[in-house]
Amino acid sequence: MEPRDLNRMFDALAPTPEQEQAGLDRLLRTERKVRPMKKLKKLTVIGIAAALMVISCAAAVVTGLDQRLIDYFGGGKQVEELLLPGAMSVDITAEDNGATLHATQVLRDRYSIAVLADFTVPEGTVLDVERFAGFSLDDEGILFLNSDGVPVNDNIADSYVFTCGWRLLEDGKPEDNHLSMLFYLTIPEGLRENLDVTALRVSTMNMAFINNGKVEWPYTGNWPMVVPLPQSYQGYTQQFDQRVGELDGSAIRLKEVYLSPITLKVTLEREEEIHASLSPEEREQQWTRWAFALREEQSDGVSRAVLTTRDGCKIPLEFRDGSADGVNTNQYNYVLRLTQATDVEELQGGILTLRVGDGSVDIPLDNLVPAE
């Protein structure tokens, strides 16, 4: 089975009732894609290249972060200092149907990208934040671009899996014609090292609301943006080969941990494959447990991944995404967000606790080195 097929199967796994409710709550807020790159129309490539020329003059090294971005990652002066190396100021506007999408700052590391933006519609239209679900993607979806404006999606990772969506941010005015938003993109396999990735095309169209469990489209339009990406960021990694638990009779081993001030990526590996001799139902159940190994809380409400600094402070984590590795399909990458941005130096000498299956293992983070 090809890696793309595996990841498509993970996406199709039936959720639990609790997961169904969570999915309804964030319907269309998360767009997940596993897709091969198609050949773009020549006009599209020319348009992207032209956009890159324009925004090259509109991007600059950020000298101060927007307070909304600081608050989203935990708040405080230290958070701003931690995020600055991977941040960039931009001034990019897309307009359609009387509405304006304006991006002002972008933040990144190897596995995640966040774009701060404001969405404004004409006066007299109320955007109900309580019912906001998100936007959809156009046919071209998410495009990573090199310095020539050419899409490079086929080269960014082995199986090109990502999760993305818009999140609302507090702006003090919940019932007006304006939304403060953060576009958050997660790539479980990460961007390849030394790959020429200069910009990200964010296709944004057709606002969705949820009303009594049904999707409505109160504001339609198309607001694509080509956003330049910072070319430097902080990231540290540590290699392992340690047993951390067992699932369905197979030992699970920890292979790698990546940490930035905002991201934790954990790579786990099964010692035994999920056997083809199992019934389809049994295989699906085992794949589900494997894909969700670090995603769900235990029955007592304790998270399956707990990050602790060397001083004993626990850092809250939010599961973002996961995917099978494109080369070794017995490996799975899990990406979590540090909801309180943290200096990796404070995590050097700390502990990562993993609860895989019924076990619990404390992993010393005593050899974190800068990721190349």
Side-chain angles (χ1 to χ4, degrees), residues 18-35:
E18 292 78 9
Q19 291 160 356
E20 286 182 347
Q21 183 60 48
L24 179 61
D25 291 342
R26 62 176 182 270
L27 181 63
L28 297 180
R29 193 172 303 179
T30 298
E31 296 284 349
R32 181 174 173 84
K33 300 291 178 182
V34 183
R35 59 189 294 173

Side-chain angles (χ1 to χ4, degrees), residues 77-86 107 234 261 341-344:
K77 183 65 176 177
Q78 183 185 21
V79 167
E80 181 175 22
E81 294 173 352
L82 290 174
L83 301 185
L84 280 174
L107 176 71
Q234 302 177 68
T342 304
D343 190 340
V344 179

Side-chain angles (χ1 to χ4, degrees), residues 101-164:
L101 183 63
H102 180 215
T104 54
Q105 292 188 340
V106 58
L107 176 71
R108 69 162 290 194
D109 60 22
R110 181 183 289 178
Y111 297 94
S112 59
I113 298 170
V115 180
L116 179 67
D118 295 277
F119 186 75
T120 306
V121 299
E123 291 284 350
T125 301
V126 176
L127 299 178
D128 186 352
V129 298
E130 295 297 326
R131 297 192 296 123
F132 174 78
F135 296 89
S136 58
L137 299 175
D138 66 18
D139 289 340
E140 290 171 354
I142 297 296
L143 297 179
F144 291 92
L145 312 171
N146 65 18
S147 53
D148 294 324
V150 177
V152 293
N153 286 34
D154 279 347
N155 300 316
I156 65 171
D158 291 305
S159 58
Y160 179 33
V161 178
F162 66 86
T163 293
C164 66

Side-chain angles (χ1 to χ4, degrees), residues 302-339:
V302 177
S303 298
R304 293 194 172 273
V306 179
L307 188 61
T308 308
T309 70
R310 62 169 177 263
D311 295 328
C313 296
K314 287 182 169 53
I315 307 302
L317 300 173
E318 173 193 72
F319 188 89
R320 283 289 304 161
D321 196 13
S323 76
D325 186 272
V327 175
N328 180 359
T329 54
N330 278 342
Q331 288 190 354
Y332 205 87
N333 301 300
Y334 304 84
V335 181
L336 302 97
R337 181 174 75 91
L338 280 63
T339 59

